[in-house]
Amino acid sequence: MDGAAGPGDGPAREALQSLSQRLRVQEQEMELVKAALAEALRLLRLQVPPSSLQGSGTPAPPGDSSLAAPPGLPPTCTPSLVSRGTQTETEVELKSSPGPPGLSNGPPAPQGASEEPSGTQSEGGGSSSSGAGSPGPPGILRPLQPPQRADTPRRNSSSSSSPSERPRQKLSRKAISSANLLVRSGSTESRGGKDPLSSPGGPGSRRSNYNLEGISVKMFLRGRPITMYIPSGIRSLEELPSGPPPETLSLDWVYGYRGRDSRSNLFVLRSGEVVYFIACVVVLYRPGGGPGGPGGGGQRHYRGHTDCVRCLAVHPDGVRVASGQTAGVDKDGKPLQPVVHIWDSETLLKLQEIGLGAFERGVGALAFSAADQGAFLCVVDDSNEHMLSVWDCSRGMKLAEIKSTNDSVLAVGFNPRDSSCIVTSGKSHVHFWNWSGGVGVPGNGTLTRKQGVFGKYKKPKFIPCFVFLPDGDILTGDSEGNILTWGRSPSDSKTPGRGGAKETYGIVAQAHAHEGSIFALCLRRDGTVLSGGGRDRRLVQWGPGLVALQEAEGHTDELWGLCTHPSQNRFLTCGHDRQLCLWDGESHALAWSIDLKETGLCADFHPSGAVVAVGLNTGRWLVLDTETREIVSDVIDGNEQLSVVRYSPDGLYLAIGSHDNVIYIYSVSSDGAKSSRFGRCMGHSSFITHLDWSKDGNFIMSNSGDYEILYWDVAGGCKQLKNRYESRDREWATYTCVLGFHVYGVWPDGSDGTDINSLCRSHNERVVAVADDFCKVHLFQYPCARAKAPSRMYGGHGSHVTSVRFTHDDSHLVSLGGKDASIFQWRVLGAGGAGPAPATPSRTPSLSPASSLDV
């Protein structure tokens, strides 16, 4: 090493290096300009008669074999010179013949950002945190990169800030102008008479832009360009499937019941079916399993509501059902008014709508009268005054209405022996109402109130439900988990309250039934009572003397984690209620559940099915034995939540995607019980959202919160693949990444990047299921690589759909509701033969506008 440098050596050396680098850059730019001019002249020679060229004295250019198109690309491709915004290099990229001077070859990059910023760049809009600029497709001409100095400006610095870069930019612009002037435009006939590349639009828009020569497509999310390379086997986007898939979904089973924040939600029909609701679906359940329908077993579903169902009532005939929904908005933001549906439980057909436009916020409680064969319907809405109204069912006419209380009203019911007596309960009250007059005369009836007395018993904070017993007594369920028995007594003028009720009720017995509030009570024909609790997730059947006979459990909070068993019709769920549940899709039953003590957000079965990995919200992940339910591994990676866990198809690796922007890779033993850190995939600039393994188990494709698409060579040391073009033909064992060429058509126009929560390709690679943020499940053809692709759309969830997965044999699809804590099992109908779809689909493309079919 040389001795100490003099005081002036440092600046002089830097100036010399700067001049040397500038000279090399200018030399490279001149060579690039020469190459562009030579190509332009070559094109002129090809497109203009030789005589005209000879007459002009223009010599024929030398051989141009260096400008040949890359292997696998159409022969009509021609290179053009492209400036890359703030990129510190100029490259020759394969482009279609440009249009007349002044037309853009593609959408401009967003202000302050470049299409491919220097530094490692993803297929999405963000750049990664390390590495040099990623090379383009093979065959693209680009100058050699000058040696990088240790003090090279950061990748997000503007190239215009360096004086040495300005001449390069000017030369780049001149080269572009020369190429545009000299290269003839292609036929407008082949382009439909207009430029197929649309502008990216404003922030929040999603536009698709096609590169005509078949190298890549580009879409925009929140103004960010996301470039995706087209597989070499696809010669034209017109070859790709169009129209909705031939497969359809039929709702097979709904797991769960809304017991966390709901009431008046559990009844028995004349057929013996138990009717309850969750999300936007009313479930009719016959114990015993099997196919749905009266006399059979299993489940049937009423799906006429457009928003979450809040309450139910069964007509005295045991066939007709009334269900009330909350107010909401549709996917276009238009308000949906609360309303009551009266429908036939045998045919599942809607018979009548009651009160459209008459209720505020939602229908909180309702009940049919019983003494007069269900001639009347009592409704309480969710307005501030909790308006209590009585309706003539046959004519849909309101007979009486009154402000009940400013406190919450959670349940309402007619005395089965006297329709003039109505009971309501709610926040710290049980009210007994007398309804008189007004029958057949709209608005002329009167309602008066008398309050129930708790006496020596502690007044609960809430009384969400009650039921009339055959002997005239009333059972109430309260927020303390108690069932109170109210007995009748003659009217007593000294009893506090007002009104003309013929009887008063007092508490005669109390029994503790649930941990936490009781939300529903139901009297069965055999005299037993069903109760539903919220906090303890239990559905309990009670015999005489309130002896528990049978119970079941379910989820009570938002669900996010879902995985399906690799060889059985079973699936596992987890969520914010900290419960990990294994469900049997054949028997439609809960196989087992355990308390994770922490929020579970993601899960995946080992290919053997012997163990399952679960990611938690604390950076901790567990591996459990699926038979014994024992935790065989407990590891912590960072302190941020984990969003995805995924085993490689051979089971040798486990990938853990974290919100700390890192994918942790573990080597796994053959039985899946033991694991050791193999490496880390670092390069994302935002949290990991989705990832998939290649079929050979060596590579990973991942998405992040800022819409990056990165590829990783795991077997080669968890290295990021800088040349994404080389990954275009890689086959993936699963496809759950929401960003990628094969699925970009699922994104709706105008998307802000949060509209799609989950995506899953079927194992036979024919369809892709999508869970959106608007309570819908979609089914698309696969690959889905045409903008605004049509889908089959299915409703039923009352909240954002958080996850979708196909079962191992593609016979069913499972979808999770978020806030509604529902699990839907859909039967896949009309599926073709087993095996993957052909690499190059041959279906005839549809020229009709894309749309979604609401099924």
Side-chain angles (χ1 to χ4, degrees):
M1 187 172 180
D2 296 338
D9 288 351
R13 185 181 297 110
E14 290 183 1
L16 182 61
Q17 290 176 347
S18 177
L19 289 173
S20 176
Q21 181 179 356
R22 181 176 178 181
L23 179 61
R24 285 195 299 269
V25 168
Q26 289 178 344
E27 289 174 350
Q28 293 164 2
E29 288 171 345
M30 292 302 298
E31 292 297 325
L32 206 57
V33 171
K34 291 177 181 178
L37 291 174
E39 172 61 13
L41 293 174
R42 183 184 72 85
L43 291 175
L44 283 174
R45 184 186 60 167
L46 293 175
Q47 299 181 14
V48 180
S51 58
S52 61
L53 283 176
Q54 293 173 359
S56 64
T58 305
D64 51 3
S65 59
S66 62
L67 297 175
L73 293 179
T76 56
C77 302
T78 57
S80 62
L81 195 62
V82 180
S83 174
R84 291 293 193 172
T86 60
Q87 186 171 340
T88 58
E89 60 178 284
T90 305
E91 63 185 54
V92 175
E93 185 181 54
L94 286 172
K95 290 282 185 177
S96 60
S97 298
L103 290 182
S104 171
N105 280 330
Q111 185 68 26
S114 65
E115 178 183 327
E116 297 265 351
S118 60
T120 302
Q121 170 67 29
S122 72
E123 286 190 29
S127 60
S128 63
S129 58
S130 64
S134 64
I140 290 179
L141 297 180
R142 63 176 64 246
L144 294 174
Q145 289 294 326
Q148 297 294 321
R149 292 172 46 193
D151 57 348
T152 300
R154 295 173 52 146
R155 69 179 186 276
N156 59 351
S157 301
S158 172
S159 60
S160 61
S161 61
S162 173
S164 64
E165 303 291 343
R166 290 170 187 156
R168 292 180 57 192
Q169 294 178 356
K170 291 180 180 178
L171 285 172
S172 298
R173 289 194 293 269
K174 289 180 180 179
I176 295 171
S177 300
S178 301
N180 283 337
L181 286 171
L182 294 174
V183 181
R184 295 185 53 165
S185 77
S187 170
T188 58
E189 195 173 312
S190 64
R191 298 179 295 167
K194 59 181 179 181
D195 188 349
L197 303 183
S198 59
S199 64
S205 67
R206 189 217 64 123
R207 296 290 184 87
S208 299
N209 301 272
Y210 299 91
N211 224 338
L212 291 184
E213 81 286 2
I215 291 181
S216 65
V217 295
K218 184 183 297 183
M219 62 180 286
F220 287 80
L221 289 175
R222 292 188 174 179
R224 286 180 176 237
I226 302 173
T227 303
M228 294 157 284
Y229 290 111
I230 301 174
S232 59
I234 299 177
R235 307 287 296 181
S236 169
L237 295 181
E238 294 301 316
E239 298 176 356
L240 298 175
S242 61
E247 292 82 357
T248 60
L249 299 179
S250 173
L251 187 57
D252 179 46
W253 199 265
V254 176
Y255 298 84
Y257 127 94
R258 186 166 179 167
R260 174 173 58 111
D261 61 350
S262 183
R263 67 290 306 175
S264 300
N265 61 356
L266 194 65
F267 297 93
V268 180
L269 301 174
R270 186 179 67 184
S271 63
E273 294 170 294
V274 178
V275 58
Y276 55 93
F277 59 84
I278 185 167
C280 305
V281 178
V282 183
V283 180
L284 295 82
Y285 167 66
R286 177 182 293 275
Q299 283 187 352
R300 299 185 299 133
H301 311 100
Y302 175 73
R303 300 173 59 193
H305 285 283
T306 57
D307 214 297
C308 287
V309 181
R310 292 289 308 281
C311 51
L312 279 180
V314 176
H315 194 274
D317 63 12
V319 175
R320 282 175 283 178
V321 177
S323 50
Q325 76 174 49
T326 188
V329 295
D330 62 14
K331 65 178 182 179
D332 298 322
K334 297 179 181 179
L336 299 173
Q337 294 181 320
V339 68
V340 175
H341 287 193
I342 298 179
W343 47 278
D344 190 311
S345 63
E346 294 180 347
T347 64
L348 300 180
L349 297 177
K350 181 171 63 176
L351 305 175
Q352 191 177 7
E353 287 190 354
I354 296 287
L356 183 64
F359 309 123
E360 292 185 21
R361 298 181 184 170
V363 179
L366 50 80
F368 283 105
S369 61
D372 42 28
Q373 292 76 49
F376 307 108
L377 182 71
C378 188
V379 182
V380 180
D381 72 7
D382 284 334
S383 63
N384 291 336
E385 297 81 12
H386 298 95
M387 301 299 296
L388 171 66
S389 56
V390 180
W391 297 76
D392 185 324
C393 293
S394 62
R395 295 183 291 175
M397 180 186 301
K398 183 162 55 179
L399 303 177
E401 185 177 43
I402 191 173
K403 296 179 181 180
S404 62
T405 177
N406 288 332
D407 292 327
S408 299
V409 178
L410 305 178
V412 63
F414 286 94
N415 187 314
R417 300 186 302 173
D418 183 2
S419 296
S420 65
C421 180
I422 300 172
V423 178
T424 60
S425 67
K427 184 177 180 180
S428 302
H429 76 268
V430 178
H431 290 163
F432 302 91
W433 299 83
N434 184 63
W435 170 44
S436 60
V439 177
V441 182
N444 274 357
T446 60
L447 289 161
T448 55
R449 184 183 69 185
K450 197 167 188 178
Q451 187 166 328
V453 179
F454 287 88
K456 64 179 181 179
Y457 296 94
K458 177 185 176 182
K459 180 184 288 189
K461 187 174 181 180
F462 290 98
I463 304 174
C465 55
F466 62 85
V467 66
F468 290 92
L469 297 179
D471 61 3
D473 289 347
I474 299 175
L475 297 181
T476 60
D478 62 36
S479 55
E480 304 296 323
N482 297 321
I483 296 179
L484 303 177
T485 303
W486 297 72
R488 297 175 298 141
S489 62
S491 179
D492 184 359
S493 60
K494 296 181 180 180
T495 302
R498 60 184 178 83
K502 299 177 182 178
E503 300 169 321
T504 60
Y505 287 81
I507 301 173
V508 297
Q510 174 180 287
H512 189 69
H514 287 269
E515 296 299 326
S517 184
I518 300 173
F519 286 124
L521 292 170
C522 173
L523 178 67
R524 301 193 66 189
R525 288 185 298 181
D526 60 4
T528 61
V529 173
L530 295 178
S531 65
R535 183 182 303 172
D536 62 5
R537 313 180 338 271
R538 295 163 61 224
L539 180 66
V540 185
Q541 182 181 9
W542 303 91
L546 294 178
V547 176
L549 303 178
Q550 190 177 0
E551 67 178 68
E553 294 184 355
H555 282 291
T556 63
D557 209 338
E558 190 164 351
L559 297 177
W560 280 94
L562 170 65
C563 61
T564 53
H565 195 279
S567 59
Q568 302 174 12
N569 193 6
R570 288 188 162 197
F571 58 93
L572 187 140
T573 59
C574 57
H576 290 186
D577 62 358
R578 305 181 179 183
Q579 297 296 314
L580 180 69
C581 298
L582 180 67
W583 304 88
D584 190 318
E586 295 290 343
S587 63
H588 304 129
L590 179 68
W592 54 256
S593 68
I594 63 171
D595 187 354
L596 294 173
K597 309 299 182 184
E598 297 176 17
T599 297
L601 297 177
C602 51
D604 194 38
F605 279 99
H606 186 269
S608 67
V611 297
V612 63
V614 182
L616 308 179
N617 68 330
T618 58
R620 179 178 169 222
W621 57 273
L622 312 173
V623 177
L624 296 94
D625 188 298
T626 55
E627 293 297 328
T628 66
R629 297 173 244 175
E630 294 181 359
I631 297 177
V632 298
S633 184
D634 189 337
V635 184
I636 296 179
D637 281 314
N639 56 6
E640 304 228 12
Q641 71 181 50
L642 304 180
S643 50
V644 56
V645 295
R646 185 85 70 243
Y647 283 100
S648 61
D650 53 14
L652 298 181
Y653 296 109
L654 174 64
I656 312 288
S658 173
H659 269 228
D660 63 6
N661 307 356
V662 178
I663 301 174
Y664 299 90
I665 306 296
Y666 283 81
S667 296
V668 180
S669 61
S670 58
D671 60 359
K674 297 180 181 180
S675 58
S676 60
R677 174 76 71 81
F678 178 80
R680 295 186 299 172
C681 298
M682 302 178 65
H684 273 294
S685 53
S686 185
F687 58 90
I688 313 301
T689 58
H690 308 82
L691 65 85
D692 293 290
W693 285 91
S694 61
K695 289 185 176 180
D696 59 13
N698 294 328
F699 301 91
I700 283 178
M701 170 176 59
S702 57
N703 293 168
S704 61
D706 60 351
Y707 321 123
E708 287 180 324
I709 308 173
L710 297 186
Y711 300 94
W712 310 89
D713 182 357
V714 176
C718 300
K719 298 177 181 178
Q720 182 180 338
L721 298 175
K722 306 300 178 58
N723 192 340
R724 302 179 311 281
Y725 183 79
E726 294 180 352
S727 296
R728 71 195 189 283
D729 291 330
R730 188 160 284 122
E731 296 184 346
W732 303 101
T734 60
Y735 213 118
T736 61
C737 286
V738 297
L739 294 174
F741 170 78
H742 293 82
V743 297
Y744 87 94
V746 307
W747 286 88
D749 202 18
S751 174
D752 65 353
T754 63
D755 297 334
I756 294 178
N757 298 316
S758 177
L759 175 151
C760 182
R761 183 192 66 193
S762 62
H763 296 88
N764 61 18
E765 302 186 18
R766 295 182 183 276
V767 293
V768 58
V770 170
D772 73 14
D773 222 33
F774 309 104
C775 315
K776 296 295 188 292
V777 174
H778 298 258
L779 206 61
F780 293 87
Q781 291 202 65
Y782 180 86
C784 185
R786 304 184 74 170
K788 296 186 289 186
S791 70
R792 298 191 185 275
M793 183 169 62
Y794 300 87
H797 284 288
S799 177
H800 52 289
V801 186
T802 56
S803 188
V804 285
R805 290 292 184 270
F806 286 95
T807 55
H808 72 101
D809 58 359
D810 292 333
S811 62
H812 293 83
L813 175 75
V814 181
S815 60
L816 298 186
K819 290 293 186 182
D820 62 28
S822 63
I823 305 170
F824 287 10
Q825 180 174 310
W826 307 84
R827 186 178 299 277
V828 182
L829 304 175
T840 304
S842 59
R843 298 181 179 91
T844 303
S846 171
L847 299 179
S848 60
S851 63
S852 291
L853 304 179
D854 196 350
V855 180

